Amino acid sequence: MGLLVLGLLIWVGAHIFKRVAPEQRAAMGDKGKGVVAVLLLVSLGLMIWGYRGAEFIPVWNPPSFMVHINNLLMVIAVFVFGMSATTGRLRGKMRHPQLTSVKIWAVAHLLVNGDLASIVLFGGMLAWAVLEVILINKAVPVWDRPQPGEAKKDVVLVVITLVMFGLMTGVHAWLGVWPFPG
C-alpha cells in the first residue's frame, strides 16, 4: 500500500507543480518537461506495482450489476478522453475532457471495487482530477473555446472509442481481470 500511496503523491505533485509554482516550473525550461515525464512514469509504475501487491482489505461488497454500469461509464470515459483530440463538431464542447474522463474512470472503478487499495487508487485519482480542474480554472478563468470542425470527425471518434474500449478490455482480460459479467 505504501508504494501505491507514494505513486499517487508523485503523480499529484508532478501534475500540480506547474499550477502551484509556475515561476519555478518555467525556470526549468524544456528540461522540466523531461523531469515531469520521468516522474509520471515512475509514479505510474509505483501505483501499478503498489496496487497489484496490496493486501486485499474488503471495505464494501459492490453488487454485481455495477459491472454493467462500470462498462457503460468506461465507454463514456474513453469517448470523453478522445474529445480532447477530436477535430469534429464536439471540439470545444467541454473544457477539460481528459480530466473529466479521469473522473468518470475513477467513479466507474469505485463502483465495482470495494477494497481499500482500490478506494485509495481510484479515490486518489478522482481527488487529483477535481483539484487539477480547480487549479486550472483559477489560473486561467477565461477559456478560449475552439471552433467546431466537421461532423464526420465525430464518427471517427466513435470508432476509435470502440476500438480503444476493446483493447482496454483485452488488456484487463490478459491481466486476469475479466471485465464482463459471467
Side-chain angles (χ1 to χ4, degrees):
M1 186 72 76
L3 293 176
L4 171 58
V5 171
L6 179 61
L8 271 168
L9 291 173
I10 294 170
W11 176 272
V12 171
H15 275 93
I16 69 169
F17 177 61
K18 174 169 113 173
R19 306 287 172 215
V20 297
E23 296 83 20
Q24 290 84 351
R25 172 57 189 91
M28 295 172 72
D30 284 339
K31 287 183 183 179
K33 291 179 184 177
V35 170
V36 169
V38 168
L39 286 173
L40 292 175
L41 285 173
V42 167
S43 71
L44 282 172
L46 288 170
M47 286 188 282
I48 292 167
W49 191 15
Y51 181 74
R52 295 201 41 109
E55 178 185 353
F56 184 84
I57 301 170
V59 176
W60 74 293
N61 192 16
S64 61
F65 72 85
M66 287 295 185
V67 173
H68 300 293
I69 296 170
N70 171 75
N71 289 339
L72 175 62
L73 288 173
M74 284 308 303
V75 171
I76 294 168
V78 174
F79 180 82
V80 169
F81 190 90
M83 285 175 62
S84 67
T86 188
T87 56
R89 300 287 306 161
L90 294 173
R91 179 175 48 190
K93 294 291 183 190
M94 183 180 296
R95 182 168 182 183
H96 306 288
Q98 290 180 351
L99 291 167
T100 301
S101 176
V102 170
K103 293 177 202 176
I104 296 167
W105 166 83
V107 168
H109 282 75
L110 285 169
L111 292 175
V112 293
N113 294 287
D115 62 293
L116 184 59
S118 294
I119 292 169
V120 169
L121 174 61
F122 302 117
M125 291 298 285
L126 176 59
W128 162 73
V130 169
L131 174 64
E132 191 77 23
V133 167
I134 291 167
L135 291 173
I136 291 169
N137 289 348
K138 184 178 178 185
V140 186
V142 177
W143 177 41
D144 185 21
R145 185 182 301 268
Q147 293 298 314
E150 302 176 57
K152 67 182 178 181
K153 299 289 186 165
D154 295 332
V155 174
V156 172
L157 175 57
V158 170
V159 171
I160 291 171
T161 295
L162 295 174
V163 169
M164 291 306 297
F165 181 74
L167 288 171
M168 290 166 51
T169 57
V171 168
H172 275 73
W174 178 68
L175 291 172
V177 180
W178 185 246
F180 303 104

